[in-house]
Amino acid sequence: MGITLHLNKNRKMKRISIKTMAVALFGLCLSACGGVNQSDPESVAEAAMECYIKDDYEGMIKLVDPSKTSKIDELTQRAEFVKQNAGKPTSTNRSAKFDTLVYSSIYPNEASAYYSYTFTDKRGEENTWKMKVVLEKKDSKWWVDRIK
């Protein structure tokens, strides 16, 4: 009886471990740059800046309209460059603070989100850039058009 009880505890532990891992993996997928509410432009812009800060161009691809193949090709090349240059000096202490979201009055399916992007460059100097994430709406979903 003691052995049977021990086996049951192990099986229960395995089930709990698998369930825990599945929940954690699901949460990780949602928190990745691609897991975003595309009906909310601010959410898409926030995910884009998160990807930008992390040099996660593969994540950024998920935020671009799939029909924009030239943009996707460009981001794919950037992702390859980042992989090839892993470990080389780069900027650090990257962060972005959301400033404002502005909808275009000329084009109702466009919006721009503005950020203050702060980082420490390779020389150790702190910089703050004003960044703009330009979004476009297509088929009720917001997509990243460009970051500048």
Side-chain angles (χ1 to χ4, degrees), residues 29 66 73 76 139:
C29 289
D73 290 344
T76 302
D139 300 327

Side-chain angles (χ1 to χ4, degrees), residues 41-43 45-46 49 95-102 112-117 131 133 135:
E42 191 174 328
S43 177
E46 191 70 29
M49 281 305 297
S95 65
K97 180 180 159 268
F98 176 76
D99 290 332
T100 186
L101 178 69
V102 178
S112 297
Y114 294 88
Y115 288 84
S116 297
Y117 171 56
M131 302 290 291
V133 179
L135 305 163

Side-chain angles (χ1 to χ4, degrees), residues 33 44-61 63 74-75 78 82 90-91 94-96 115-119 129-133 144 146-148:
C33 295
V44 175
E46 191 70 29
M49 281 305 297
E50 204 174 293
C51 289
Y52 183 84
I53 289 169
K54 295 177 181 176
D55 286 333
D56 181 6
Y57 295 104
E58 291 172 349
M60 185 79 76
I61 288 169
L63 302 173
E74 179 187 336
L75 291 169
R78 288 184 183 191
V82 168
T90 183
S91 61
R94 302 174 184 189
S95 65
Y115 288 84
S116 297
Y117 171 56
T118 304
F119 63 98
W129 292 352
K130 293 294 181 184
M131 302 290 291
K132 178 177 163 182
V133 179
V144 173
R146 63 192 173 279
I147 296 179
K148 54 183 186 173

Side-chain angles (χ1 to χ4, degrees), residues 14-121:
K14 284 182 184 177
R15 281 190 207 129
I16 290 171
S17 296
I18 291 171
K19 286 179 184 177
T20 304
M21 286 174 36
V23 169
L25 184 60
F26 181 71
L28 181 63
C29 289
L30 285 178
S31 68
C33 295
V36 61
N37 176 5
Q38 287 192 274
S39 65
D40 176 26
E42 191 174 328
S43 177
V44 175
E46 191 70 29
M49 281 305 297
E50 204 174 293
C51 289
Y52 183 84
I53 289 169
K54 295 177 181 176
D55 286 333
D56 181 6
Y57 295 104
E58 291 172 349
M60 185 79 76
I61 288 169
K62 297 172 187 171
L63 302 173
V64 173
D65 179 355
S67 69
K68 306 274 181 155
T69 55
S70 61
K71 277 192 195 326
I72 292 171
D73 290 344
E74 179 187 336
L75 291 169
T76 302
Q77 289 174 358
R78 288 184 183 191
E80 285 300 315
F81 179 81
V82 168
K83 284 180 187 174
Q84 291 171 0
N85 291 288
K88 292 186 179 176
T90 183
S91 61
T92 59
N93 301 325
R94 302 174 184 189
S95 65
K97 180 180 159 268
F98 176 76
D99 290 332
T100 186
L101 178 69
V102 178
Y103 292 91
S104 172
S105 57
I106 300 171
Y107 305 104
N109 290 327
E110 284 189 11
S112 297
Y114 294 88
Y115 288 84
S116 297
Y117 171 56
T118 304
F119 63 98
T120 304
D121 66 20

